Amino acid sequence: MRLKTILNRVQRLHGFVYARVGMLEERGRLIIEAEIRPRAKGRPICSGCNAAGSGYDTLAPRHFKFVPLWGMPVAFVYAMRRVDCPSCGVRVERVPWAEGKNHLTRTYAWFLAGWAKRMSWSDVASAFRTTWENVFRSVEMAVQWGLQHRSLDGIESLGIDELYWSRRHQYLTLVYQIDAGAKRLLWIGKKRTLKTLLGFFRWFGPERSQALRFICSDMWKPYLRVVAKKAGQAIHVLDRFHIASHLSKAIDEVRAKEAKELHARGLQPFLTRTRWLLLKRPENLTPKQEIGLAELLLRSNLRSVRAYLLKEDLQRFWSYVSPYWAGVFLNRWCTRVMRSRLEPMKKVARMLRSHRELILNWFRARGQLSVGVVEGLNGKARVITKRAYGFRTYRAVEVALYHSLGRLPEPDFTHRFC
Ligand SMILES: [Zn+2]
């Protein structure tokens, strides 16, 4: 079988034909080159207005990288024609296999982008002997196409979360769709200010915003204000996972301070190495940690232990069915905490009190909203930004996040290369 036959099966070129397809050796490496020619009488298409025009001249042959075969690089070789276009003047023609000045064929760019979903961009670059830049640009192309072609119909539930981007020491705001059948990243914005989230709603549009039924977020004030203003009809749920993380921070603060005091008084350091005993869910402890926790709990005079018991007691809150009784429980819990003289815990209780209604929305939305989803998606987003992909720029982070979490559509290919 000839290579030309295969090429005609996997990549037909409308208006063009494969001329000579051959193998040559360059610096000890085998390369496959496929020369392309326009069909006889095929008129060049103007890249400015997409109209067929008459030929003006022909440029020197250019190489376009195609999907490698058996470890051999494959290139299309073609001498671009210039069109004498009545409306645009003299312009380079448009060809079906590549975009603008890109020296990668569209098929090869989709191929690289496909692999970039499965491994890091630098791994893709070295596996296919190309550059990180080429991989980045290919993924960017795939993301652009996907964003243009995705549907934003029927979105009812949103999750809003922040992500700390350590490389630039700044926050990003991520908005997810968290409907039962469709969980994906919808939007990314810089920082986590009023302006950031307003930017989302401006892009999302008033009509879609009015159709939202549930929004899940943290108690972060700018988010609360914008959601109330732009989608006041939606049930705004404060995420259980975020409340737990505020509590964990409070316990950590109590413990760290107490450990320091005990140390200063020359007492045996009970509290060193106890951080995870107090922060983990009891059912997740190892047997050894369980013994450690039991010993620790015997010292009920410790502030850390009292804080821990308060945190564990709040677990019962989530098992209520009725928002009314959950509310009664929450009031009692907050009262106990306010009498505990544990300042970081009191801070959390004050916060829960002032957002009482939004927290009770959790019970009103139960069964209709998959609540753990935001946590899961954000965990993945964190892994992506942390991976050493060489994400120096915001653009690269943005592209990587959309690519992995956006569930973006792809064109229908006549042949799938990966
Ligand atoms: Zn034109």
Side-chain angles (χ1 to χ4, degrees), residues 46-51 85-89 91:
C46 168
S47 57
C49 64
N50 286 337
C85 177
S87 33
C88 314
R91 284 278 190 127

Side-chain angles (χ1 to χ4, degrees), residues 1-253:
M1 196 198 300
R2 295 193 310 160
L3 283 175
K4 204 193 275 188
T5 317
I6 301 177
L7 277 170
N8 273 316
R9 270 309 280 276
V10 299
Q11 179 83 75
R12 278 197 86 80
L13 305 173
H14 185 73
F16 297 83
V17 291
Y18 294 104
R20 199 189 57 83
V21 180
M23 199 168 66
L24 52 112
E25 208 175 321
E26 208 181 76
R27 276 175 269 144
R29 258 192 103 190
L30 292 172
I31 292 173
I32 295 171
E33 277 190 358
E35 277 172 26
I36 293 175
R37 282 199 200 126
R39 267 183 204 288
K41 291 185 199 146
R43 300 206 306 154
I45 309 285
C46 168
S47 57
C49 64
N50 286 337
S54 49
Y56 177 78
D57 63 357
T58 302
L59 304 172
R62 262 176 63 183
H63 283 66
F64 300 87
K65 292 210 171 71
F66 191 66
V67 180
L69 181 64
W70 296 319
M72 290 182 268
V74 177
F76 289 174
V77 184
Y78 179 67
M80 304 281 270
R81 293 169 291 173
R82 288 202 293 173
V83 193
D84 191 5
C85 177
S87 33
C88 314
V90 175
R91 284 278 190 127
V92 175
E93 70 174 316
R94 203 168 67 88
V95 291
W97 59 86
E99 207 84 59
K101 291 195 165 60
N102 203 337
H103 64 281
L104 305 182
T105 58
R106 211 173 278 137
T107 304
Y108 187 42
W110 279 106
F111 173 83
L112 292 176
W115 280 104
K117 269 193 184 158
R118 302 174 189 140
M119 49 201 208
S120 79
W121 295 359
S122 37
D123 284 346
V124 177
S126 71
F128 299 104
R129 302 194 210 192
T130 184
T131 62
W132 187 93
E133 272 297 312
N134 278 341
V135 178
F136 164 60
R137 250 184 266 128
S138 302
V139 176
E140 191 180 34
M141 177 276 312
V143 165
Q144 269 166 0
W145 195 95
L147 291 178
Q148 272 163 22
H149 291 83
R150 69 179 169 170
S151 160
L152 297 173
D153 294 340
I155 298 175
E156 294 191 334
S157 319
L158 294 183
I160 303 168
D161 208 351
E162 75 217 8
L163 181 72
Y164 185 66
W165 180 25
S166 50
R167 178 133 202 167
R168 283 291 165 93
H169 306 290
Q170 90 178 28
Y171 281 96
L172 305 176
T173 295
L174 275 62
V175 182
Y176 304 99
Q177 177 182 6
I178 53 169
D179 287 308
K183 299 175 178 63
R184 57 175 171 164
L185 174 66
L186 279 184
W187 189 86
I188 308 168
K190 275 186 200 170
K191 300 189 185 166
R192 49 167 182 172
T193 61
L194 281 176
K195 222 176 124 192
T196 314
L197 200 56
L198 281 172
F200 164 77
F201 280 105
R202 198 174 312 120
W203 166 79
F204 199 54
E207 203 173 304
R208 283 194 206 100
S209 305
Q210 293 308 308
L212 291 169
R213 293 178 58 220
F214 299 102
I215 297 178
C216 195
S217 83
D218 188 10
M219 283 174 267
W220 183 240
K221 208 176 245 149
Y223 292 169
L224 299 184
R225 280 177 57 192
V226 174
V227 168
K229 192 171 160 214
K230 294 290 178 183
Q233 83 292 345
I235 297 184
H236 191 166
V237 182
L238 294 186
D239 207 333
R240 174 179 172 171
F241 140 74
H242 280 119
I243 294 171
S245 87
H246 284 291
L247 265 177
S248 291
K249 266 182 219 150
I251 289 183
D252 222 18
E253 223 176 284

